[in-house]
Amino acid sequence: MHADRVNRAALALLGLLLLALGVSGMLLGAGVFGEDAAHRNLLDNSISHFIGAHGGWVWPAVAVIAVVIALLSLRWLLTVLFSTGRLADITVAGDHSAGRTTLTSTALGDALSGEIESYRGVHSARTHLEGDPTKPQLAVTVNTQQNADLAALRRHIETNALAHARHALGVPDLPIRLDITVTRQRSARVT
């Protein structure tokens, strides 16, 4: 389940439902549905009479529905909080006649981060793979020193480290998101 998409859809539906209820309540109070409806008591309606007459089974059913909604809400909340979309293992493209080759995303991320951090002007680097194991996407975040030449550093990262990652995965058109930020921290190493 993709948490962002489900989150947006659920919140949009809930928002539309609450908007419809609010607008209908305002229209009812303004007398659009008739003066009798505008001046009736809130619980003086056929639904309240039905619940009062059949309360022996209605309230347990409401309780079961409330528990199901609570469990679905808890699952949704856990998905939103702990879903990263990150991959654990990646299937390396190529000839699978002798078997399938897999690469752990941690190994690739550590190697790629280490290579980028060795470049002049780089303070730190973080990488992770996300998406589908057969069609991964690489996200790279690089923190640079204030005096770094960003254009040269970007070219150097793209032509070296990112090219190495594409080659290691066997995916020459691997989609990569590269975020470069300037940090105020001083580097402990001499560059």
Side-chain angles (χ1 to χ4, degrees):
M1 172 166 49
H2 195 272
D4 291 340
R5 191 174 315 133
V6 173
N7 190 15
R8 283 192 297 268
L11 290 176
L13 288 174
L14 181 63
L16 289 174
L17 176 67
L18 292 175
L19 178 67
L21 287 172
V23 168
S24 63
M26 287 174 35
L27 293 174
L28 180 67
V32 172
F33 299 116
E35 284 300 316
D36 290 341
H39 295 294
R40 282 177 58 187
N41 290 333
L42 181 63
L43 299 178
D44 184 23
N45 57 47
S46 59
I47 295 173
S48 295
H49 294 295
F50 178 81
I51 291 173
H54 301 92
W57 67 268
V58 170
W59 290 116
V62 168
V64 168
I65 291 171
V67 168
V68 169
I69 290 173
L71 290 174
L72 289 173
S73 299
L74 180 63
R75 181 175 185 269
W76 172 63
L77 181 63
L78 291 173
T79 301
V80 168
L81 290 176
F82 299 113
S83 174
T84 61
R86 294 184 180 195
L87 297 177
D89 294 328
I90 306 105
T91 303
V92 178
D95 183 21
H96 295 289
S97 61
R100 189 179 71 173
T101 304
T102 58
L103 176 66
T104 63
S105 64
T106 307
L108 179 70
D110 290 347
L112 190 58
S113 294
E115 181 178 351
I116 294 171
E117 286 175 351
S118 70
Y119 296 163
R120 182 178 182 159
V122 174
H123 185 269
S124 65
R126 288 180 297 132
T127 62
H128 67 270
L129 285 160
E130 52 194 23
D132 185 65
T134 57
K135 297 173 101 179
Q137 299 174 354
L138 182 63
V140 180
T141 303
V142 179
N143 293 319
T144 66
Q145 298 168 2
Q146 287 180 339
N147 59 351
D149 181 1
L150 296 180
L153 179 62
R154 179 176 171 254
R155 278 192 305 276
H156 192 59
I157 291 170
E158 287 177 348
T159 58
N160 291 304
L162 300 183
H164 296 155
R166 285 182 169 121
H167 179 71
L169 292 174
V171 182
D173 59 344
L174 176 70
I176 298 175
R177 185 184 74 235
L178 175 61
D179 296 322
I180 300 176
T181 58
V182 177
T183 183
R184 294 187 186 276
Q185 299 174 352
R186 297 274 185 215
S187 178
R189 61 191 156 113
V190 176
T191 56

